[in-house]
Amino acid sequence: MTLPVGSVVELGSRVRQYDRGRVLVGGAPPRLLRLSAPAVALLAGRRIRIGGPASLRLATRLVALGMAHPVVAALPPADLAQLTVVVPAHGRPDALERLLAGVAGRVEVIVVDDASPDPDPVARVAHRHGARLIRHPGNRGPAAARNTGLRQVRTPFVAFIDSDITVEPDTLPMLLRHFHDPELAVVAPRVLGLHGPGTRERGNWIVRYEGARSSLDLQAHPALVHPRSRVSWVPSACLVARVDALGPGFTESMRVGEDVDLVWRLAAEGHRVRYEPSVAVRHDHRSGLADWLGRKAYYGTGAHTLSARHGPAVAPAVLTPWAAAVGVAALAQRRWSLPAAAVVLTAVTRRNLRKVPAGSAGRHRIAVSLTGLGVAATAEQAAALLLRHWWPLSLAGCVVSSRARRAVALAAVADGLLEYRLRSPDLDPVRFALARRLDDLAYGSGLWAGAVRGRSIRCLLPEIRRSGAGAGAGAGARARSAAGAAGAAGAAGASAAAAARAGAGTRGDRPFPRPAP
């Protein structure tokens, strides 16, 4: 990676500093990193400004480990003439008009009409804004439409933007700045609602729920994107890519989950993918109940295909053995549950203590903190299994077991309250909680339907990893679902591991067994 002189990288908001900044905990997958005294001095105020070889080495390593992220506003401007926009379209000329009004005339635009029922309005909008129009004689799906446009691109970079997206004038120029990193293949912005907070129209209760908990909104924290990261995919609703890195493009046989598939394939090839939430676009969310539930279920069906292509990366939860043991003890609700969990957690804390470098101040506090983070993450994953991925099993259990009813009720109440506090939706708590449960039921229904049709339960099975590195780091990766079942986690990828070995003013890093939420 080459960061320009004068650029800035910043520690991720979820990276914790201990021992007066000498110990960092976080990253993708999460790990513990010990910094040397010169490195601590360079990391002033959680930021590093690139000014020489030492700062460049440290910044490069932290970025490769997912602990720090480039500050896009501090990167040099990029030439917008190097970018072509590809828009897959199927009807919806009004939405296309809104999009092209924001991008046409500034960059070359290719609109691919994927056999719209009435193609003339789409053609008129495209011609009015000077966009090149390509028509499919039959409907082949959004992946094929993007690939058709990609084959016509002659610039080094391409932006795929769905027709129901709107962009601001600085959206594409800011995203393009990230490609000063020659290893970067894709960068994607945050996807907010067209209606809701920050807009003139609030919309109905579904729109307001989506404004806070949309499947496309990956929230406000920048991230390195791969199956082991907290942000393990980015939606194809809007993304900018390096053409040479895309190869054949999207998998055209996939009508859902094709964006997850692309990101994971690029990550497996050693490319970098980045999520940049400081840049945002707006999406026209569905507002009808039946349409909304149908879309959630449709997203869920993609997990089976992804599991066939990517194996355990699609696990709905990823746990270490100790986390699974604590979860089982808690769900059992027996007299032995609390003592058994206490024994396991004591052993885990002792093991975490051995991973904290000798001489670090507050070693015991760090070890206890790591264990607490693991417990919280395990509880979150267990709640997601009960309420979303395995809800048919939970329902059956509630019919025959009071313990199951208590577990499901506690999970539902805790999840609703925590999500409401975290998201601060423009919606009262009751309707938000109702929408949250409907979201889970619809997605879980699609997940099970896909598994039944595919005659495989692989996408429903959690992964138990003996290796602590990254266990649970990306659990909950989505086939287009904000907390969906296409979860992914695993050990550190090749590029991160190579960076860990390279060294940049640090004293070694140590992965720790923390299932990250």
Side-chain angles (χ1 to χ4, degrees):
M1 178 178 184
T2 303
L3 289 166
V5 173
S7 60
V8 177
V9 302
E10 185 174 31
L11 286 182
S13 59
R14 291 188 172 97
V15 174
R16 300 189 176 201
Q17 294 178 290
Y18 298 95
D19 190 14
R20 289 174 292 182
R22 295 186 181 95
V23 175
L24 303 181
V25 174
R31 64 183 63 239
L32 185 149
L33 187 69
R34 172 77 172 181
L35 299 181
S36 66
V40 173
L42 289 171
L43 190 58
R46 298 178 65 89
R47 286 190 167 199
I48 304 170
R49 182 172 293 278
I50 310 304
S55 58
L56 177 61
R57 286 195 299 270
L58 178 60
T60 298
R61 185 176 188 190
L62 294 179
V63 169
L65 296 176
M67 285 188 163
H69 311 284
V71 177
V72 66
L75 291 170
D79 183 4
L80 203 58
Q82 294 185 312
L83 179 72
T84 300
V85 173
V86 172
V87 182
H90 183 72
R92 306 188 69 175
D94 292 341
L96 181 63
E97 172 73 38
R98 189 168 56 231
L99 168 62
L100 294 187
V103 299
R106 303 171 61 228
V107 293
E108 181 182 358
V109 179
I110 301 172
V111 175
V112 182
D113 185 347
D114 194 29
S116 295
D118 184 1
D120 291 340
V122 172
R124 285 194 294 269
V125 171
H127 292 318
R128 182 161 55 250
H129 290 280
R132 181 180 175 186
L133 179 66
I134 302 173
R135 285 179 179 167
H136 281 173
N139 183 266
R140 296 166 54 194
R146 296 186 192 104
N147 286 348
T148 294
L150 176 62
R151 286 190 286 270
Q152 304 301 315
V153 171
R154 298 296 179 263
T155 53
F157 305 104
V158 60
F160 298 106
I161 309 179
D162 286 356
S163 63
D164 54 1
I165 292 288
T166 60
V167 300
E168 298 296 329
D170 64 343
T171 298
L172 297 177
M174 294 300 283
L175 292 176
L176 206 55
R177 291 185 179 202
H178 273 294
F179 288 95
H180 287 288
D181 177 1
E183 297 179 27
L184 186 71
V186 168
V187 62
R190 187 176 183 182
V191 181
L192 300 174
L194 184 62
H195 306 294
T199 69
R200 295 180 179 179
E201 299 181 38
R202 296 178 66 198
N204 64 11
W205 65 277
I206 295 174
V207 171
R208 280 181 276 163
Y209 170 80
E210 284 289 288
R213 201 62 175 79
S214 167
S215 301
L216 304 179
D217 183 3
L218 305 180
Q219 299 303 306
H221 305 285
L224 194 63
V225 182
H226 56 74
R228 300 147 192 95
S229 175
R230 181 182 294 272
V231 177
S232 53
W233 71 291
V234 287
S236 54
C238 181
L239 54 83
V240 180
R242 190 184 302 274
V243 172
D244 288 347
L246 293 180
F250 294 88
T251 301
E252 296 189 7
S253 61
M254 299 182 70
R255 294 270 181 152
V256 62
E258 76 282 359
D259 37 21
V260 183
D261 176 73
L262 176 68
V263 167
W264 289 357
R265 192 191 78 219
L266 292 172
E269 293 172 354
H271 296 291
R272 239 194 294 270
V273 178
R274 181 160 296 285
Y275 172 59
E276 181 50 75
S278 69
V279 180
V281 298
R282 296 277 177 177
H283 177 257
D284 191 3
H285 295 318
R286 286 167 170 77
S287 58
L289 180 60
D291 193 22
W292 176 65
L293 292 175
R295 178 55 50 168
K296 296 290 185 180
Y298 182 58
Y299 289 166
T301 62
H304 166 70
T305 304
L306 287 169
S307 70
R309 295 177 61 86
H310 300 280
V314 192
V318 184
L319 304 167
T320 52
W322 75 261
V326 170
V328 169
L331 291 174
Q333 303 173 52
R334 302 287 184 175
R335 291 183 177 179
W336 53 263
S337 295
L338 187 59
V343 169
V344 172
L345 293 177
T346 299
V348 170
T349 303
R350 289 172 63 89
R351 186 175 65 175
N352 284 339
L353 183 62
R354 291 195 297 270
K355 294 179 180 294
V356 180
S360 299
R363 291 180 69 236
H364 289 82
R365 181 173 66 89
I366 296 173
V368 171
S369 177
L370 296 182
T371 303
L373 290 171
V375 171
T378 300
E380 183 176 359
Q381 292 191 81
L385 289 174
L386 289 174
L387 301 173
R388 189 175 183 86
H389 314 114
W390 293 355
W391 73 258
L393 300 181
S394 298
L395 179 61
C398 288
V399 173
V400 299
S401 169
S402 60
R403 289 187 176 89
R405 290 193 290 272
R406 283 196 297 270
V408 170
L410 177 61
V413 171
D415 175 80
L417 292 176
L418 289 173
E419 283 290 313
Y420 190 83
R421 180 177 180 181
L422 176 66
R423 310 290 179 175
S424 301
D426 182 23
L427 194 63
D428 61 87
V430 174
R431 284 188 293 178
F432 178 82
L434 173 62
R436 181 88 171 108
R437 298 285 71 84
L438 290 174
D439 185 342
D440 286 347
L441 292 174
Y443 184 90
S445 298
L447 175 66
W448 281 76
V452 170
R453 283 199 299 267
R455 299 181 181 181
S456 171
I457 62 171
R458 189 174 189 176
C459 62
L460 298 169
L461 299 178
E463 183 182 7
I464 306 299
R465 294 193 64 87
R466 292 190 176 277
S467 170
R478 291 88 178 148
R480 311 193 88 174
S481 167
S495 59
R501 290 192 295 268
T506 60
R507 294 179 177 172
D509 52 59
R510 307 184 183 196
F512 58 88
R514 179 178 73 86

